[in-house]
Amino acid sequence: MAARESSLDVVQRELTAFARRARATAARMHPELSLVSYTILSHLEERQGCRATDLAAHYMLDKSTVSRQVAALEKMGFIERRVDESDHRVQLLHLAPGGEEILASARSSRQESIQARLADWDPEDLARFASYLVRYNADAAAHP
Amino acid sequence: MAARESSLDVVQRELTAFARRARATAARMHPELSLVSYTILSHLEERQGCRATDLAAHYMLDKSTVSRQVAALEKMGFIERRVDESDHRVQLLHLAPGGEEILASARSSRQESIQARLADWDPEDLARFASYLVRYNADAAAHP
DNA sequence: GCACTTGTGTTGTAGAGTGCAACGATATCA
DNA sequence: TGATATCGTTGCACTCTACAACACAAGTGC
């Protein structure tokens, strides 16, 4: 670490570089599932029955954007919409079987690629890296 | 290292979540300087006289995309193009004074925001996080 | 019950970013 | 000289995105 460049600089630069590449990498690895689609499916896997508005807030997207993405995912048979009986404005989003399938496939191929990159890492370093990322994202969510 | 979720899973998930937010965050903080524009300017600060093709390779972008971005940045007075006298096909890109200015401004406001998030971090943790990111990106570049 | 406000999602519109393909200009080499 | 390769630009089509306007449902005050 050079004297002139603080860790903060490095974190900023490296995260920026990563963000820049992420889209291209994701697109190359899974042309049929955009980064947003992937994150939506992944989110639904965790929180079945989540609302479109929640997705928009969580990923800092406009509700119209989410609406279109959701429509596309439904058209492809990856998710289902069920109207909330207690509030007919709300649509509860669920993973459809097709969605679980493609999500598993996308995840494993992403996993494979990441594994290839991280094969040389000491497990302890990897665990620490993971925990730092978790902490950073949590901080980012807390400081909007 | 949890039994159910490996560090690999966590790294994958957190990097994906970060990538998803990065664009929105960048756009909110600097509406006049897109994420790509910022990275290009930042890259030029490091390597004055770099070629458009180098940028494309480094950020996994099509040369046409870089061409348009560069054209826009030049129009805004942020960069200059100088024809390489030893090879008239290539244009060497340089930061213009206006570019240095806006880059400094963008960086400091990004820095401010990141600093707010990372204020609580132990400097040692921060340094380790930075080095992990550097290593990860280097690995990513090596395993395309 | 009836307006008024709020929350949820859709659609129209416009703009930015991107990749692919085709092209012109320049350089290199046989 | 002619063939091939490299660098950058442009035409085209597509996706993602935000903003604004809208319809519909739910709650609120009268």
Side-chain angles (χ1 to χ4, degrees):
Chain A
M1 210 79 50
R4 283 277 306 116
E5 193 178 40
S6 72
S7 298
L8 232 56
D9 285 322
V10 177
V11 169
Q12 165 175 305
R13 174 162 51 76
E14 295 301 319
L15 282 178
T16 304
F18 168 78
R20 194 30 235 117
R21 289 182 212 239
R23 180 176 180 169
T25 309
R28 275 185 47 185
M29 282 172 31
H30 263 272
E32 78 282 9
L33 207 58
S34 75
L35 190 56
V36 181
S37 298
Y38 177 78
T39 54
I40 288 180
L41 291 184
S42 195
H43 194 97
L44 286 185
E45 192 184 42
E46 268 188 47
R47 302 177 193 279
Q48 294 265 343
C50 123
R51 302 176 308 166
T53 303
D54 297 338
L55 289 175
H58 196 263
Y59 294 107
M60 300 176 85
L61 290 167
D62 192 79
K63 56 185 178 175
S64 65
T65 302
V66 173
S67 173
R68 285 179 239 266
Q69 295 287 333
V70 164
L73 287 171
E74 186 194 27
K75 196 170 183 180
M76 292 185 284
F78 296 158
I79 67 176
E80 291 172 2
R81 302 197 248 199
R82 307 177 192 160
V83 174
D84 184 347
E85 285 308 321
S86 70
D87 185 341
H88 286 254
R89 295 171 302 179
V90 177
Q91 300 177 352
L92 301 177
L93 305 176
H94 291 260
L95 264 187
E100 294 176 9
E101 219 170 280
I102 197 165
L103 181 56
S105 149
R107 167 169 297 134
S108 82
S109 89
R110 287 173 75 93
Q111 188 94 343
E112 216 170 279
S113 152
I114 289 193
Q115 192 145 30
R117 290 177 198 160
L118 302 182
D120 296 344
W121 285 50
D122 182 288
E124 202 173 320
D125 282 337
L126 194 53
R128 240 186 331 227
F129 184 36
S131 75
Y132 286 153
L133 283 170
V134 171
R135 185 172 172 193
Y136 179 83
N137 277 340
D139 287 353
H143 295 260
Chain B
M1 198 101 51
R4 284 275 305 116
E5 191 180 38
S6 73
S7 299
L8 233 55
D9 285 322
V10 178
V11 169
Q12 166 175 304
R13 175 162 50 76
E14 296 299 320
L15 282 179
T16 304
F18 167 79
R20 193 33 234 114
R21 289 183 211 241
R23 179 176 179 171
T25 309
R28 273 184 46 187
M29 281 174 28
H30 264 272
E32 79 281 11
L33 207 59
S34 76
L35 190 57
V36 183
S37 297
Y38 178 78
T39 53
I40 288 181
L41 290 185
S42 194
H43 194 97
L44 286 187
E45 192 183 42
E46 267 188 48
R47 302 178 193 277
Q48 294 264 344
C50 127
R51 302 176 309 167
T53 302
D54 296 337
L55 289 174
H58 196 263
Y59 294 107
M60 301 175 86
L61 290 167
D62 192 81
K63 56 185 178 174
S64 64
T65 301
V66 173
S67 172
R68 286 179 242 268
Q69 295 286 334
V70 163
L73 287 171
E74 186 195 27
K75 196 171 183 179
M76 292 186 282
F78 296 159
I79 67 177
E80 291 172 3
R81 301 197 248 200
R82 309 179 190 159
V83 175
D84 184 348
E85 284 309 320
S86 71
D87 185 342
H88 286 248
R89 293 172 302 179
V90 309
Q91 301 175 350
L92 302 177
L93 305 175
H94 291 260
L95 264 187
E100 293 176 10
E101 220 170 279
I102 198 165
L103 181 57
S105 149
R107 167 170 298 135
S108 81
S109 87
R110 287 172 75 93
Q111 188 93 342
E112 218 171 277
S113 151
I114 291 192
Q115 191 146 30
R117 289 178 199 160
L118 302 183
D120 296 343
W121 285 50
D122 182 289
E124 202 172 321
D125 282 337
L126 193 53
R128 238 185 334 228
F129 185 36
S131 74
Y132 286 153
L133 284 170
V134 171
R135 185 174 173 190
Y136 179 84
N137 277 340
D139 287 355
H143 294 261

